[in-house]
Amino acid sequence: MKNSRKKRRIVKKASEKELFIIHNITQLFSEEGISLDNFKLTLFPVREHNLNIDSDEDTQIDVQNDFTVNRDVIKDYTEGQFVYMRRNKKGEIKLSKGIKDTRARQHIMTNNRLRAQIALGSTAPEPTDFKLSENEQVFSYHVNVGHGNCSFIVIDSLHGTKIWCVDSSEWDYLSKKSYRSNIEDCLTYISEKFNIKDIKIEKFFLTHPHYDHFSGFIFLIKKYASTYAEFWINPYYSFSSTSYNNLLHVLNSCLRSRTLKIIESYPWNNTPNISILNENQLILRSKPTGGLTSLRKLIASGKLASSNPYTVQKNVNDSSIIYHFKFGDKSILFPGDIEDLGWENIKNCMPYLSRANYYCLSHHGSMNGHIRSSCPAKKPINDVRLCSPLVDVLFIQGRDGAYPGIINKKLLSDFKITHPLKHIYRTDQDPSKRSDPLFFEITWLNDTVVYKF
């Protein structure tokens, strides 16, 4: 009896401590492109799940715990872990593991359950095959959402206008500013330009489960998703933040009500317009608990190779799905926030990132997304510049100064050397350095870029 009371007191004491999930551990670089021994550590508070599909409560994260730390602070930790945080007498940040906290276990179990339901309910995509011609034009729109990504692809054809969305952030958790109005203004512009009375988005694509890439999806799904819209996601990668679990809950609710279809973002679901450049192997945050036995159905189906069916990526950015959208002889590439270790598993990019005409630079224009040391063609490279000599339009989604090294001057100067005739377009300013645009539009027929304020 005494031991039971003591155990309850320990659990109660732990539950009174503020619990966090490690959202980001990002290596910092100098403006000269030199890696520093400092890291940006971002901790998201763990809160009660808001599993109400009609609520917007969770769309705005108030992050008070964003620190620059040295390697010693984070050497025993990875993104996605639950921790407690304190400062010692010197004011230094100290972390301790919170995996045994009841709230952490609840979040992990919820995440596992929701991802399993999504994977079981997934289906094959619509086999789209749109072209690029006089009667079928393509435009893309890249919205200023502060530190984050949000893009729309519009296919205008004789059979109607189709709208696809690639990542969507609406709340800059670093500046604590909402950008939902910019997204709304972009969709209003699309509605007026293409004479659409009722905007509907038919496909959604998520590159990876970081907040600055998915925080706007719940709002867009509730307001703009067409019936049986597709949501492309990697359901096998675990990340148990409160906000991501809430998105997974919304997806499950839509799946049960048959208002949304789940598509697994893997090459076995490629279509003539949509290609996944990642390998045919699951991208996981940790080794499967059942080993290869737990993957036997996917291996037996031929979706996964029996020799190397999965890769483990502790860094969430390196779990990024690389989407390649091709219409006729034009294409656009979204690599999410993939970094060097993630690039090691990308073999389907040959030749030259599959000859993409439009390329969104990885990880908001940081050196982390610029560095690439492995080439499937066995060519000596140090970064992505030699992968993209044929690109017509380079662009960055993010906010300069969001944290040190974004947008990195070394990256900009590198591209000026190898791509002297190409301007790098940015969502936070236009080429004349006029700041805070709403979005910019790329017309694929003639490669023109127009900003809207």
Side-chain angles (χ1 to χ4, degrees), residues 20-27 39-43 74 76-83 95 173 208-210 237-241 285-286 313-319 337 339 363 368 403:
F20 300 93
I21 186 170
I22 299 178
H23 185 266
N24 284 91
I25 299 177
T26 305
Q27 171 105 49
F39 296 79
K40 179 63 70 172
L41 170 67
T42 305
L43 305 178
I74 51 90
D76 297 323
Y77 298 92
T78 59
E79 293 177 356
Q81 287 185 317
F82 291 91
V83 297
L95 302 178
Y173 65 85
H208 65 294
H210 266 160
Y237 194 85
S238 63
F239 192 70
S240 305
S241 69
R285 201 170 70 84
S286 58
Q313 297 292 353
K314 297 288 187 181
N315 180 349
V316 179
N317 285 341
D318 285 325
S319 74
D337 284 350
E339 299 179 16
H363 201 199
N368 309 74
Y403 61 78

Side-chain angles (χ1 to χ4, degrees), residues 323-380:
Y323 294 102
H324 182 227
F325 301 96
K326 185 174 183 180
F327 304 92
D329 60 353
K330 292 287 188 75
S331 66
I332 191 168
L333 193 72
F334 293 95
D337 284 350
I338 198 164
E339 299 179 16
D340 196 28
L341 289 178
W343 278 120
E344 288 183 3
N345 293 307
I346 305 300
K347 306 292 193 298
N348 298 321
C349 56
M350 298 188 295
Y352 303 118
L353 298 179
S354 293
R355 300 185 183 277
N357 301 87
Y358 315 110
Y359 179 42
C360 177
L361 297 180
S362 176
H363 201 199
H364 317 291
S366 69
M367 286 299 295
N368 309 74
H370 184 49
I371 295 171
R372 185 182 187 183
S373 57
S374 60
C375 173
K378 306 300 182 183
K379 294 188 176 182

Side-chain angles (χ1 to χ4, degrees), residues 20 40 46 58 66 74 77 104 123 140 158 210 221 230 250 318 387 415 445:
F20 300 93
K40 179 63 70 172
V46 174
D58 189 61
D66 186 60
I74 51 90
Y77 298 92
T123 186
S140 61
L158 295 176
H210 266 160
I221 289 170
E230 296 177 359
V250 169
D318 285 325
C387 307
F415 274 100
L445 196 62

Side-chain angles (χ1 to χ4, degrees), residues 5 55 80 210 289 301 305 308 316 321 335 364 373 377 408-409 421:
R5 285 198 298 268
S55 174
H210 266 160
T289 53
S301 70
N308 192 20
V316 179
I321 301 298
H364 317 291
S373 57
N408 195 272
K409 291 181 180 178
L421 301 180

Side-chain angles (χ1 to χ4, degrees), residues 17 95 149 153 158 242-243 255 264 280 361 380 382 392 452:
K17 297 171 66 176
L95 302 178
N149 290 44
I153 298 174
L158 295 176
T242 306
S243 50
L255 188 61
E264 294 177 339
N280 261 331
L361 297 180
N382 297 311
D392 294 309
K452 300 297 180 180

Side-chain angles (χ1 to χ4, degrees), residues 153-284:
I153 298 174
V154 177
I155 305 105
D156 187 39
S157 73
L158 295 176
H159 305 290
T161 303
K162 311 294 184 182
I163 303 173
W164 299 355
C165 177
V166 185
D167 282 342
S168 181
S169 175
E170 65 166 348
W171 174 256
D172 186 333
Y173 65 85
L174 294 171
S175 68
K176 300 176 178 57
K177 180 180 177 181
S178 173
Y179 286 87
R180 180 181 291 190
S181 62
N182 286 8
I183 298 174
E184 295 269 33
D185 286 343
C186 182
L187 290 173
T188 298
Y189 174 85
I190 292 171
S191 174
E192 293 172 351
K193 175 166 182 165
F194 299 99
N195 195 26
I196 305 171
K197 292 182 178 180
D198 186 19
I199 283 281
K200 291 298 178 184
I201 300 172
E202 298 195 358
K203 298 181 191 292
F204 299 87
F205 301 87
L206 174 62
T207 57
H208 65 294
H210 266 160
Y211 183 85
D212 56 315
H213 289 255
F214 71 75
S215 69
F217 274 135
I218 293 179
F219 142 69
L220 287 175
I221 289 170
K222 284 164 43 180
K223 189 170 182 179
Y224 295 108
S226 66
T227 304
Y228 307 122
E230 296 177 359
F231 196 99
W232 292 60
I233 186 174
N234 174 12
Y236 301 100
Y237 194 85
S238 63
F239 192 70
S240 305
S241 69
T242 306
S243 50
Y244 190 53
N245 279 356
N246 287 341
L247 172 62
L248 295 178
H249 172 73
V250 169
L251 296 180
N252 267 290
S253 296
C254 294
L255 188 61
R256 289 196 302 271
S257 62
R258 297 188 178 184
T259 56
L260 201 69
K261 295 196 299 183
I262 299 296
I263 313 297
E264 294 177 339
S265 296
Y266 283 97
W268 59 74
N269 281 321
N270 284 354
T271 76
N273 293 135
I274 306 163
S275 296
I276 308 296
L277 297 194
N278 307 71
E279 293 293 286
N280 261 331
Q281 54 181 194
L282 296 186
I283 305 173
L284 310 175

